[in-house]
């Protein structure tokens, strides 16, 4: 079985500051890892994903994440926050023969002007 | 390309009433998912279809929830009778292939409030 833990249900940063959203996973098989973003009253949109190969993956809107197997982590970062980044962010995992995504509880990102 | 469509966007009902949600996936997407997202939590899978067959419904409360995907295109999720704890956003998603690395595309969701 897979599970995801997102550290911090709410993160607040200043505009232009580094964004760091933490995600740790548990999986008994090699995982596929995803970050999704959800804007108010909208569905989820894929930011980036890790499947195999390069452990540093780049996504849309300047976000990137690094898969660290030894730490079972997949933290999301962005060098410089923008007001439009304010949203809810979800980390998710799938593994083995399963096709379903198992989501973390989400982190709400607030950007201060 | 049109995205995943869902209706209605909002629904308010009394407990013990019934309700139905509709989803139209992206054209050509064989895999369809229904998720329940309770406020403050991540989405939880209720049911997964591959064409018109059920792949996974292990977390669907079958005593009150039902879903179908006739003809392998549109899908309907029904709750009968509704309970207070069913208040949530119901998300529909679709994916083109069975490849677990493939992106799931989400609709805007239906926000259900049970009073």
């Amino acid at each position: 079985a897979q599970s995801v833990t997102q550290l911090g249900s709410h993160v607040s940063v200043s505009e232009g500051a580094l964004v760091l959203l933490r995600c740790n996973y548990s999986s008994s098989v090699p995982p596929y890892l995803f970050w999704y973003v959800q804007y108010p009253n909208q569905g989820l949109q894929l930011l980036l994903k890790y499947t195999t190969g390069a452990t540093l993956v780049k996504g849309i809107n300047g976000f990137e994440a690094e898969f660290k197997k030894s730490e079972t982590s997949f933290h999301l970062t962005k060098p410089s926050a923008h007001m439009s980044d304010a949203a809810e962010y979800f980390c998710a995992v799938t593994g083995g023969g399963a096709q379903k995504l198992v989501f973390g509880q989400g982190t709400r990102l607030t950007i201060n002007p | 390309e049109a995205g995943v469509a869902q209706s209605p966007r909002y629904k308010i009902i009394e407990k013990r009433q019934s309700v139905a949600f509709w989803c139209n996936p992206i054209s050509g997407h064989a895999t369809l998912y229904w998720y329940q997202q309770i406020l403050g939590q991540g989405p939880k899978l209720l049911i997964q279809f591959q064409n018109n067959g059920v792949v996974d419904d292990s977390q669907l409360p079958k005593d009150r929830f039902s879903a179908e995907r006739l003809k392998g295109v549109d899908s309907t999720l029904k709750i009968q009778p509704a309970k207070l704890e069913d208040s949530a956003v119901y998300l529909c998603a679709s994916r083109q292939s069975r490849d677990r690395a493939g992106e799931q595309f989400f609709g805007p969701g239906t926000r259900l409030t049970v009073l």
Side-chain angles (χ1 to χ4, degrees):
Chain A
Q2 287 82 37
S3 67
V4 172
T5 301
Q6 291 184 238
L7 301 176
S9 59
H10 189 195
V11 170
S12 181
V13 302
S14 298
E15 189 174 19
L18 171 71
V19 174
L20 171 59
L21 304 182
R22 301 178 186 273
C23 171
N24 287 91
Y25 70 90
S26 173
S27 178
S28 57
V29 296
Y32 286 3
L33 294 156
F34 304 78
W35 274 100
Y36 280 84
V37 61
Q38 186 176 34
Y39 298 101
N41 299 316
Q42 295 187 28
L44 280 71
Q45 179 184 9
L46 182 67
L47 275 177
L48 50 79
K49 65 180 179 182
Y50 167 79
T51 55
T52 58
T55 56
L56 181 64
V57 293
K58 296 185 184 298
I60 61 172
N61 302 337
F63 285 93
E64 63 182 35
E66 185 171 12
F67 171 63
K68 292 187 176 181
K69 183 178 178 180
S70 62
E71 299 178 9
T72 61
S73 69
F74 191 58
H75 301 330
L76 181 70
T77 60
K78 182 174 180 177
S80 178
H82 191 272
M83 295 298 291
S84 60
D85 295 328
E88 188 93 18
Y89 292 80
F90 294 93
C91 182
V93 64
T94 186
Q99 299 174 36
K100 70 178 183 182
L101 289 171
V102 175
F103 286 88
Q105 78 276 20
T107 298
R108 180 170 299 278
L109 177 63
T110 302
I111 311 298
N112 302 313
Chain B
E1 178 182 77
V4 177
Q6 291 188 245
S7 67
R9 292 295 312 277
Y10 305 91
K11 190 73 176 180
I12 300 174
I13 61 172
E14 300 282 336
K15 60 182 179 183
R16 292 187 288 275
Q17 286 186 323
S18 63
V19 64
F21 313 128
W22 172 82
C23 173
N24 184 19
I26 293 173
S27 177
H29 282 198
T31 309
L32 185 146
Y33 307 82
W34 282 102
Y35 290 88
Q36 180 191 58
Q37 185 179 15
I38 293 173
L39 185 65
Q41 299 180 21
K44 182 186 78 171
L45 180 70
L46 291 175
I47 189 167
Q48 175 188 344
F49 291 94
Q50 181 69 23
N51 295 309
N52 60 352
V54 175
V55 174
D56 184 351
D57 64 356
S58 58
Q59 297 190 87
L60 186 74
K62 299 180 185 65
D63 58 334
R64 297 185 300 105
F65 286 66
S66 64
E68 61 182 10
R69 191 183 183 198
L70 299 177
K71 301 181 181 179
V73 183
D74 294 5
S75 178
T76 302
L77 177 69
K78 298 180 181 178
I79 307 175
Q80 183 179 9
K83 293 185 175 181
L84 296 177
E85 58 261 36
D86 298 333
S87 293
V89 175
Y90 291 85
L91 295 165
C92 179
S94 68
R95 187 168 68 182
Q96 186 171 31
S97 71
R98 299 189 69 168
D99 179 4
R100 63 188 178 98
E103 179 179 354
Q104 292 187 26
F105 292 85
F106 286 79
T110 295
R111 183 177 298 276
L112 174 67
T113 301
V114 182
L115 302 176

